[in-house]
Amino acid sequence: MEFLGLFVTASIPVLKVLLVTALGSYLALDHVSILGEETRKHLNTIVFYVFNPALVCSNLAKTITYESMIKLWFMPVNVLITFLVGSILGWIVIHFTRPPQHLRGLILGCSAAGNLGNLPLIIIPALCKEEGSPFGDPDVCYTYGMAYVSLSMALVMVNLQIGAICLWSYVYNIVRLSSRSIKDIPVSKYSRESSNSSDAGSSIEPLLLSSPELVPPVDDAGGYALPRTVHEGKAEIVGFIIGLVPQIRKSMIGGSAPLRVIQDSASLLGDGAIPALTLIVGGNLLKGLKGSGIKKSLVVGIIVTRYIALPLIGILIVKGAVHFGLVQSDPLYQFVLLLQFAVPPAMNIGTITQLFGAGESECSVIMLWTYALASISLTIWCTFFMWLVG
């Protein structure tokens, strides 16, 4: 297929994401006030506890078997590699830009942790439905594409999986450690931001108490364990069980299955995840318009890391894995692996910065620019990835 045709095919899904994201930003404006901060908070809770589990569970149940699990073993390794390579690149950015101490964890987190669940969840289905898609029959592409993306999402959401450990234990702790340096800065510098606290560190406690859904659980040693969002992997586990146990699978999956209404209901709920997630992302990006004192070189460094260096390294890793027989020859599977190297920073990093009151405004600016440029970057890389695997 001609490269121009692939570019048009790749641009349509990204444009869909861009339009719905722009709608989310509009609905979050103060004079519109339909998708305000409290509304986004409640909608995000519904997405996390209802829509996402239903989507992941239904897709895993339909396509995950013992055979497919063996074939897909490289995906958790790929997720880990994205974190490791991103971390190395993040340290390089820190070395050259020399940011304030309390922002180093933020930079490292944005470089290491990508949006491995939400964006592929939006892009893959839309890409499969395009006429110019190189991945064959739209229905087959959609079924297996959603299985790959759901598995990627499960790796991020289930606490026993690689993605969650990296995102919450690794990124969470580097932001926590770097935020401690704020306490060494004169209080007067931050008095404008928190008039009710004597220093930035003391403002953390009321924030945590007022936002229980953001509070990570406290372990026996008194330190923070993985946040509660990471422990909500029950739906993913159920999806694996349904797919892997033949008796349960036959009773729920298929047009003649006696309990197919359960699977159909889960799929119906899961369909609400994609538009809701995209609207929330659009609303959250508004914070970045207020600006901050962040150096431009930091934003540029993160953009170069996530949209140039990581995808190029990802191509070498994935094609090398294919060459040595570590990855199956399925073009769609290879495309998903490559896409994991090209996504913008994980939105959960914003939640982590809120927990410690360190770099929250800077994080908003980083998210604004990285997600604004993602429309261009993802279109280009999706085009190249489709040409590469096709």
Side-chain angles (χ1 to χ4, degrees):
M1 187 176 182
E2 295 182 359
F3 197 82
L4 180 61
L6 289 175
F7 181 82
V8 173
T9 300
S11 65
I12 299 301
V14 178
L15 286 175
K16 292 178 181 179
V17 174
L18 190 63
L19 288 173
V20 180
T21 302
L23 176 61
S25 298
Y26 172 76
L27 296 177
L29 292 172
D30 291 336
H31 69 275
V32 178
S33 193
I34 293 178
L35 200 61
E37 186 171 351
E38 281 298 312
T39 304
R40 293 199 303 274
K41 172 183 172 183
H42 296 309
L43 181 58
N44 189 65
T45 301
I46 295 175
V47 169
F48 180 76
Y49 284 105
V50 181
F51 292 166
N52 272 357
L55 180 68
V56 174
C57 179
S58 61
N59 283 288
L60 288 178
K62 285 189 293 186
T63 53
I64 293 297
T65 62
Y66 285 113
E67 292 77 12
S68 64
M69 285 295 295
I70 294 174
K71 294 180 180 179
L72 301 180
W73 70 270
F74 188 78
M75 183 169 287
V77 177
N78 197 63
V79 171
L80 178 60
I81 292 174
T82 64
F83 276 92
L84 293 177
V85 174
S87 298
I88 295 172
L89 295 174
W91 281 117
I92 295 175
V93 172
I94 291 173
H95 175 75
F96 282 101
T97 59
R98 300 188 181 279
Q101 179 67 30
H102 70 283
L103 292 181
R104 294 185 178 183
L106 172 63
I107 296 169
L108 197 58
C110 289
S111 300
N115 192 329
L116 300 179
N118 298 353
L119 272 184
L121 189 69
I122 298 167
I123 293 174
I124 296 300
L127 195 60
C128 287
K129 294 177 181 178
E130 287 299 311
E131 292 184 1
S133 172
F135 303 124
D137 180 81
D139 293 333
V140 175
C141 174
Y142 178 84
T143 299
Y144 284 94
M146 289 302 292
Y148 300 152
V149 174
S150 296
L151 179 59
S152 175
M153 200 170 182
L155 294 175
V156 178
M157 295 177 68
V158 181
N159 64 335
L160 296 178
Q161 300 294 334
I162 270 301
I165 294 173
C166 292
L167 178 59
W168 285 106
S169 64
Y170 173 61
V171 178
Y172 176 87
N173 280 290
I174 60 175
V175 174
R176 175 176 62 86
L177 292 173
S178 64
S179 68
R180 289 179 178 176
S181 64
I182 298 180
K183 296 181 180 181
D184 299 327
I185 301 176
V187 175
S188 59
K189 185 175 181 178
Y190 289 94
S191 60
R192 295 188 303 272
E193 299 181 10
S194 181
S195 59
N196 296 326
S197 59
S198 60
D199 57 45
S202 64
S203 65
I204 297 175
E205 183 176 357
L207 171 62
L208 295 177
L209 294 177
S210 63
S211 304
E213 72 280 359
L214 298 180
V215 182
V218 179
D219 57 26
D220 295 335
Y224 287 116
L226 295 178
R228 69 186 273 191
T229 55
V230 184
H231 290 280
E232 299 296 336
K234 296 179 181 179
E236 290 78 6
I237 296 174
V238 171
F240 280 114
I241 293 175
I242 295 174
L244 295 176
V245 179
Q247 293 81 0
I248 302 177
R249 180 182 179 86
K250 291 178 181 179
S251 67
M252 298 182 63
I253 308 300
S256 59
L259 299 179
R260 63 184 180 278
V261 65
I262 299 177
Q263 170 68 16
D264 293 341
S265 299
S267 298
L268 182 62
L269 283 173
D271 290 340
I274 296 175
L277 283 170
T278 315
L279 289 173
I280 292 171
V281 169
N284 288 338
L285 292 181
L286 272 186
K287 296 179 182 179
L289 293 175
K290 298 179 181 179
S292 68
I294 188 172
K295 292 164 53 176
K296 294 180 180 178
S297 59
L298 299 181
V299 180
V300 172
I302 293 172
I303 290 174
V304 171
T305 293
R306 294 225 61 96
Y307 295 152
I308 298 178
L310 263 176
L312 290 175
I313 295 174
I315 292 173
L316 295 177
I317 292 172
V318 175
K319 298 305 289 185
V322 173
H323 176 74
F324 290 105
L326 302 177
V327 172
Q328 59 177 309
S329 59
D330 181 5
L332 181 59
Y333 181 51
Q334 295 179 28
F335 178 84
V336 173
L337 294 177
L338 290 167
L339 185 61
Q340 290 177 338
F341 285 92
V343 292
M347 293 297 293
N348 285 334
I349 297 175
T351 300
I352 296 173
T353 59
Q354 290 175 356
L355 289 174
F356 300 104
E360 185 176 353
S361 60
E362 290 86 354
C363 181
S364 298
V365 173
I366 292 172
M367 291 297 175
L368 174 66
W369 283 105
T370 53
Y371 275 79
L373 292 175
S375 58
I376 300 174
S377 174
L378 283 174
T379 300
I380 294 174
W381 282 117
C382 284
T383 303
F384 184 73
F385 291 160
M386 285 191 294
W387 173 81
L388 193 64
V389 301

